[in-house]
Amino acid sequence: MDRIFIPLKRSRYCTLLVLLVMAGTAKAQTIKGIINGREGHLPGASVQTAGTKQGTATDLNGAFTINVHTTGKVTLLVSYIGHETQRLELTVKPGINDAGNITLSPTGGKLGEVLVKGTMAPSTVKALSIKKNSLAIMDVIAADAIGKLPDRNAAEAVQRVQGVAVARYHGEADAATVRGTPFAWTSTLFNGSRLPSANVLGNRNSVLDAVPSEIIQYVQVAKAITPDMEGDAIGGSINFITRTAPAKRTLNVSAAGGYNTFSKDATYNASLVYGDRFFKDKLGVMIAGAIWDRQWGTDAYEVAYNTGLTNPAQQKSVSTVMLKRYMGKRQTYGANVGLEYKFNSSNKIFFRGLMDKFNDIRPVYESYVDYNNSRYQYNYRYSYYQTVLNGGELGGEHQLSSKVKMDWTISDYYTKYFLETPPTNDNKGLPIATFRQKITGGFNNLSADGKRYWGFDSPEGVGGDPLHFDAGIKNSGEVMDASKLTLQQLVIAQLDTKEEDKTAQLNFKVSASSRVNLKFGAKYRHKDRAGTYGSNIVYLPGAALGIPKSPDLLPLNTLQRTDFPVRGGFFQGLKGNYDQFMIDPITKQQLFDLYDTATLRKNGFADYTSKTNATNIYTGTENVAAAYAMAEIDLTDKLKMIAGVRNEYTAFTLHGSKATAEGTPKVTTITPATVKNNYNALLPMMHLKYSINDQANLRAAYTRTFIRPNFTDLTPGESVDNTGSNVTITKGNPDLKPTFSNNFDLMGEYYFKNIGLISGGVFYKQISNVIFANKNYYTENGVNYVVAQAKNLNNATLAGLEAGINKRFDFLPGILGGLGAELNYTFISSSVEVPRTVSGNKITDKTSLPNQSRHLFNSILFYERNGLMIRIAGNYRGASVETINQQLGKDFYIWTDKNFTVDASATVNITSKIRVFAELNNITNEPLKTYMGDKRRVAAEEWYGSRGQAGIRWDIIK
């Protein structure tokens, strides 16, 4: 045989071609089938050929593909936790053989009874089976487990997973992150593709409160990814898999009503899930819908400090104290459709569609004490934020030959965050009316330098306790007064954001031999984004500016007003009485009418919008071309290696504008500006999975991942927000670099025979070019300014360990055998260097990564027996840095304090198809607190009460 010489530059393609030719010509037969149980498809079921060690596991839809190197009689052994092992005799013919649907029955023992009668056990088995057989290091939640706790959106559903932390927004989780890393470092996926984000702050992390939990089939949390997964996932990835076609006809409905202890008002939710198969099971249909309507409320106490002053001793003095009340309504609507058509055992196509809508309607009432300007301030705003998430995907799976399988997907997902108020002005956005009242008598608790401090910060110890706030007005009768509060500013804050992702993906899987599987593919994503961030349309009255002959300022009491929403009390979380800050607001319609052009003119208002405001509007595109190749190699009967590489090339273009000031006097000019940021990410990865025995796995992994900069961080413009106590100027940074990380993981798993798991491991990350939000402070003409801009920091490291156990105590006697626990803990230690200059000297501060908690802990105690299920869940997230102040140092970092919430649920089976349930959230009424440097130096604290509901679920067909 002649030798063949291959040029080096073409060797990779020729090698791949040779492998494909070998795969196509090797003699092998393929057996395909679907494994089902009473509860539907069985993911992670084991399928082996008798007499050999060759086997496979079913996918999320219970489907399997196995190759055999013989024809004629073949015996398959099919097994699944808690089910009888089935021996299936097949006559195998050359080519592709269809084994059809294989149904397993529960065992006759105690474990089988638990699976048949339990409400939680079947979902736990599914999740553990998927985890056990996965190539990546991951955790899994199944849909029926999500419903066992009062988790009503996608973020709340995933908070129970080991190593996952959530951000809470006024009492509801709205974003999630893996291993406590910054939220943007976790890739949020829908059916394997990045979910577009309409995050109002311009972040890439998706806001998940628009996604009802009822439309989710599985949640996969990957902590060490494989090359066939999206590579922008330093923390990990969370893949929400929506419902698809069922194994058999199913129909269930649920309805519940509840109560919010803060708003003193009702809540309700309902859902419907219908699935069926038609045309001799070729066509599968799944339809799911949900609605969640709830009243809610929050008291938020916020303190701003004079960090912009040049005197270091005064930088911890108090600028303003604000007492803010939210009282509103939230509505979540979701619908999901899944279609699947199976032409034959080798070919099927599928479609998934999604329509979600989230409305956040909340009048907001803000009462300020402004110490620097000796005045009261009162803001009223009517917030009606709307978020939509719509889209769909079409795909197919095809067995091209006995050894080559192909799948493809094209998708289009669109999300938008927008406001449609006020209706009387073409400038849509968030309307804010600001009233001010001069405090003429001064304050009686100031320090000798004339500043207000808390007692522990004051040079003389004069001040007070931030959580027992006393405004310190010298004249006790000089309270906020509607006849003295005059309208001095009208603002429309524009926050619209929309993003659309169009994606195409193609994957091939080649069974090169009984021990080697090859997988390779390509993905292309085109992202369109448009945003208006930090744009404020500002109207000011001539009288406030000292313009002669201007109409008098409008007192609050001369406008149409409505009652203040007292409900169960006002700021009961603080010590003291704050009733004087409850000011009856103007009506919603009165607020809108103030923006009418004729009304503005009549009352002497003119447009004083900053000329730089136009720089807040941008459009952009991001094109990502990705390709990967990986091999799954059985090195021995117990040791598997997954090795490969992924490459992602990003071409980023943003169209905006920038402002320049030239001449004397300064004249601001707005000019178009385009930012381009193109870069490549080469991501090698390797996993080792050692099966110690049938119940234990040991895993090790090296992965390289990265994170792209946010759109708004790259804009060439700047925004000005003057609605708060400080004027905030946000600037873009077109020179930002992506963040890269080398990740090392070592994990062990032991699966109990009676449904359960004990696991633990360690992980380490080397991170370069960390992006953080830097803030600089200064004071000019008595006004405090904050300049915010994203920057790259030096390298960082993150190390941690995690451990968890899921165990049923069925060894206990009698009724105690229904007890069990799910406990997991994650410890994380990270370090990043923050350089700064003090008196001309360069120093370095060391801190943890933003948003990263040192301790994460989940605990679930449950009881399940004879149709009764009770669960009590605790979720703990330790303190974390939120904002790094590079200019002033660690004493001025903003931290989120530790938070521990307790939830509970109970379910009782009335019949085999009807169950009633009750749910409670935030039983301990845990507040959310942030602080500056010292835990005593409160930056914000908010209270939002508890909520609960009770309802019924009817499995009409199951």
Side-chain angles (χ1 to χ4, degrees), residues 317-337:
S317 62
V318 177
S319 170
T320 62
V321 173
M322 178 178 64
L323 287 83
K324 179 192 298 188
R325 166 153 287 192
Y326 300 87
M327 195 65 67
K329 175 194 285 284
R330 285 175 172 164
Q331 300 165 320
T332 304
Y333 307 96
N336 162 235
V337 60

Side-chain angles (χ1 to χ4, degrees), residues 816-848:
L816 296 179
L819 291 171
E822 297 179 30
L823 308 173
N824 63 70
Y825 167 74
T826 304
F827 170 82
I828 309 164
S829 177
S830 66
S831 177
V832 62
E833 295 182 348
V834 184
R836 61 188 178 102
T837 302
V838 179
S839 302
N841 298 317
K842 292 185 178 181
I843 63 174
T844 300
D845 294 323
K846 287 189 176 181
T847 185
S848 57

Side-chain angles (χ1 to χ4, degrees), residues 371-485:
Y371 289 96
N372 291 345
N373 296 291
S374 296
R375 68 191 181 193
Y376 292 117
Q377 179 171 313
Y378 181 68
N379 289 352
Y380 174 72
R381 66 182 71 186
Y382 181 77
S383 312
Y384 186 176
Y385 303 105
Q386 301 179 67
T387 304
V388 297
L389 174 60
N390 300 327
E393 58 189 69
L394 178 68
E397 297 178 8
H398 309 279
Q399 192 76 40
L400 300 182
S401 72
S402 60
K403 287 200 169 189
V404 181
K405 184 178 181 180
M406 180 188 77
D407 66 80
W408 58 274
T409 308
I410 54 173
S411 65
D412 188 348
Y413 283 100
Y414 170 83
T415 185
K416 183 179 180 181
Y417 178 95
F418 61 100
L419 300 99
E420 292 292 340
T421 55
T424 54
N425 194 293
D426 289 337
N427 295 316
K428 302 298 183 184
L430 170 63
I432 308 171
T434 297
F435 300 83
R436 297 190 179 109
Q437 171 189 339
K438 195 67 179 175
I439 298 174
T440 58
F443 303 95
N444 59 18
N445 55 5
L446 303 181
S447 186
D449 60 3
K451 299 296 181 182
R452 173 72 192 272
Y453 296 86
W454 304 126
F456 53 85
D457 279 331
S458 172
E460 296 88 15
V462 177
D465 176 3
L467 295 182
H468 193 168
F469 173 61
D470 177 6
I473 308 299
K474 279 187 177 180
N475 180 358
S476 60
E478 195 173 8
V479 297
M480 295 186 79
D481 187 335
S483 65
K484 298 177 181 178
L485 284 163

Side-chain angles (χ1 to χ4, degrees), residues 433-584:
T434 297
F435 300 83
R436 297 190 179 109
Q437 171 189 339
K438 195 67 179 175
I439 298 174
T440 58
F443 303 95
N444 59 18
N445 55 5
L446 303 181
S447 186
D449 60 3
K451 299 296 181 182
R452 173 72 192 272
Y453 296 86
W454 304 126
F456 53 85
D457 279 331
S458 172
E460 296 88 15
V462 177
D465 176 3
L467 295 182
H468 193 168
F469 173 61
D470 177 6
I473 308 299
K474 279 187 177 180
N475 180 358
S476 60
E478 195 173 8
V479 297
M480 295 186 79
D481 187 335
S483 65
K484 298 177 181 178
L485 284 163
T486 55
L487 181 62
Q488 301 202 17
Q489 180 176 269
L490 290 169
V491 169
I492 299 175
Q494 298 180 310
L495 303 170
D496 290 10
T497 301
K498 59 183 178 181
E499 187 170 294
E500 182 176 14
D501 282 0
K502 296 178 180 179
T503 305
Q505 180 168 338
L506 181 65
N507 300 299
F508 289 90
K509 186 171 184 179
V510 179
S511 178
S513 72
S514 60
R515 289 186 174 274
V516 179
N517 286 319
L518 303 177
K519 189 175 181 181
F520 55 93
K523 190 170 193 174
Y524 180 79
R525 179 175 66 242
H526 173 78
K527 181 188 294 291
D528 282 306
R529 184 180 177 96
T532 303
Y533 172 61
S535 171
N536 287 331
I537 310 299
V538 180
Y539 302 96
L540 300 175
L545 300 173
I547 298 175
K549 298 182 181 181
S550 295
D552 292 339
L553 297 172
L554 287 172
L556 175 59
N557 69 334
T558 63
L559 302 174
Q560 295 177 8
R561 300 166 69 198
T562 187
D563 294 335
F564 186 88
V566 180
R567 303 299 169 91
F570 185 66
F571 274 86
Q572 295 185 337
L574 285 175
K575 301 173 183 177
N577 185 293
Y578 305 96
D579 289 353
Q580 77 123 328
F581 297 105
M582 293 191 301
I583 303 297
D584 288 344

Side-chain angles (χ1 to χ4, degrees), residues 731-790:
K731 295 183 177 182
N733 182 358
D735 297 324
L736 280 180
K737 300 176 182 178
T739 303
F740 282 86
S741 177
N742 293 311
N743 315 296
F744 303 87
D745 291 81
L746 179 65
M747 300 291 292
E749 309 160 352
Y750 179 81
Y751 296 84
F752 298 113
K753 291 183 178 180
N754 65 335
I755 311 176
L757 167 71
I758 184 169
S759 65
V762 294
F763 51 90
Y764 179 76
K765 298 178 183 292
Q766 296 175 332
I767 308 165
S768 60
N769 290 324
V770 175
I771 298 173
F772 80 110
N774 181 53
K775 291 188 176 182
N776 290 320
Y777 299 80
Y778 68 93
T779 299
E780 185 176 291
N781 298 326
V783 178
N784 289 335
Y785 290 87
V786 182
V787 180
Q789 186 179 42

